[in-house]
Amino acid sequence: MANPNIAAATSILGESVTKRPTSSPTYQTIFQVPADTVYKINSISACNISAASAVVTLSAQPFMQILVDVANTINVPENTTLILISKETSFYLPALSYMYCNANPSSTVDFLISYEAIS
């Protein structure tokens, strides 16, 4: 399975996905990158929708590699939004990679991930 040559891309689609983890401490899948596609992750925010602070972890697992934390046990104060990844810290996920999230307590944080699907 090869990643597409992004210099010769035939399609670049702007996408967004949201996720509210509903079980803690279990990591929940946000997405899997489709075959023959690369995702450029542009921004990730975590919005705490509760009246108490929450702790979030965001992880990525590039295809055939180990799981790595992108943001590890970050405190998000009550009723606030925290930018975890911005355009200045964007990164690529190759085909068949996964992105996971976790929030403790569960069901208190909404993640918003903005990315480009390049194929």
Side-chain angles (χ1 to χ4, degrees), residues 70-92:
V70 176
N72 186 8
T73 59
I74 303 295
N75 187 54
V76 182
E78 62 276 356
N79 299 310
T80 61
T81 299
L82 182 64
I83 305 300
L84 301 174
I85 301 293
S86 68
K87 193 85 167 165
E88 292 78 24
T89 58
S90 63
F91 60 94
Y92 292 95

Side-chain angles (χ1 to χ4, degrees), residues 4-86:
N5 178 354
I6 62 175
T10 59
S11 175
I12 302 175
L13 301 173
E15 304 279 348
S16 293
V17 65
T18 60
K19 182 71 172 185
R20 180 180 295 168
T22 57
S23 63
S24 185
T26 306
Y27 284 90
Q28 295 189 323
T29 303
I30 299 172
F31 57 70
Q32 179 187 18
V33 180
D36 299 322
T37 303
V38 172
Y39 281 3
K40 180 182 179 198
I41 309 300
N42 292 318
S43 67
I44 302 173
S45 62
C47 178
N48 185 341
I49 59 172
S50 74
S53 65
V55 175
V56 299
T57 299
L58 184 71
S59 302
Q61 187 169 21
F63 182 62
M64 304 281 299
Q65 295 183 32
I66 64 168
L67 181 74
V68 293
D69 287 338
V70 176
N72 186 8
T73 59
I74 303 295
N75 187 54
V76 182
E78 62 276 356
N79 299 310
T80 61
T81 299
L82 182 64
I83 305 300
L84 301 174
I85 301 293
S86 68

